[in-house]
Amino acid sequence: MDNSLDIHAQVGENELLVFISSVMDAELNPARELVVKAIEELPLGRPWAFEYTPASSEPATDVYLRKVEEADFVVWLVGSNTSQAVVNEVHRCLGCHGRLLVFKLPADCRDETTEGLLATVTPVVKWKDVGDLSQLASEIIAALSEEIREALRDPLARIHRSDGPWR
């Protein structure tokens, strides 16, 4: 009889949902893949990345913004440029007081939209500068672990820190 414990089989229906927000291009696609794999290895979470979702009868904008609202965590991977879709995702996360984790990846320069969005989130969240893509998976896991610990130790902390509704 096999007595080994299959952790993934023990997880309930409601795994933590981690939304991956970034431009989908040659610059950030390797980072997106790394993050998806890192989250898939966690026994408690499942990633949501647009490129891995099936076709839908809903407009794409409605799909991804709804998933931002449903997500337990939103991970913004910051590269050299930022699309309007990413701006909308980050603003939606902030608007519903979601848990936004920001990772600045190596870039020679950042466009005005990216710098503006970073200026918007900097007073609200602590972002992490990731100097080497090989560090990204461990940085993601460290941040998610810390956020989960914080939520368990002080579940009312987010209510006290926000001026609006807590989800």
Side-chain angles (χ1 to χ4, degrees), residues 2-167:
D2 182 12
N3 290 331
S4 63
L5 177 63
D6 182 356
I7 292 175
H8 293 286
Q10 302 300 317
V11 175
E13 299 177 23
N14 298 319
E15 295 174 301
L16 296 174
L17 180 65
V18 183
F19 185 97
I20 314 302
S21 179
S22 80
V23 174
M24 294 180 351
D25 63 9
E27 175 190 15
L28 291 179
N29 284 347
R32 292 177 67 84
E33 288 179 31
L34 279 171
V35 172
V36 166
K37 287 178 184 173
I39 294 166
E40 285 176 336
E41 291 180 15
L42 293 173
L44 298 175
R46 90 183 141 87
W48 194 94
F50 187 81
E51 64 271 33
Y52 296 112
T53 61
S56 173
S57 61
E58 272 185 284
T61 303
D62 293 350
V63 170
Y64 65 75
L65 290 178
R66 179 173 43 80
K67 285 299 181 184
V68 167
E69 291 177 1
E70 294 173 2
D72 297 289
F73 303 98
V74 173
V75 171
W76 175 28
L77 302 174
V78 183
S80 59
N81 62 71
T82 300
S83 66
Q84 187 58 50
V86 172
V87 171
N88 294 344
E89 291 162 3
V90 170
H91 281 286
R92 181 65 58 97
C93 180
L94 294 174
C96 66
H97 299 285
R99 292 182 182 272
L100 178 64
L101 301 172
V102 180
F103 298 88
K104 285 176 65 175
L105 303 177
D108 292 332
C109 64
R110 302 193 199 282
D111 68 9
E112 188 177 314
T113 303
T114 303
E115 292 293 350
L117 193 54
L118 280 168
T120 298
V121 303
T122 295
V124 182
V125 302
K126 176 195 175 289
W127 47 263
K128 180 69 176 181
D129 200 357
V130 179
D132 186 327
L133 203 55
S134 66
Q135 301 168 345
L136 182 58
S138 61
E139 293 291 351
I140 293 285
I141 291 172
L144 288 171
S145 298
E146 184 61 29
E147 288 288 317
I148 292 167
R149 270 192 301 278
E150 178 186 326
L152 289 172
R153 289 183 179 151
D154 191 358
L156 301 178
R158 294 193 60 79
I159 293 173
H160 300 242
R161 289 192 313 202
S162 70
D163 294 326
W166 182 61
R167 36 175 218 105

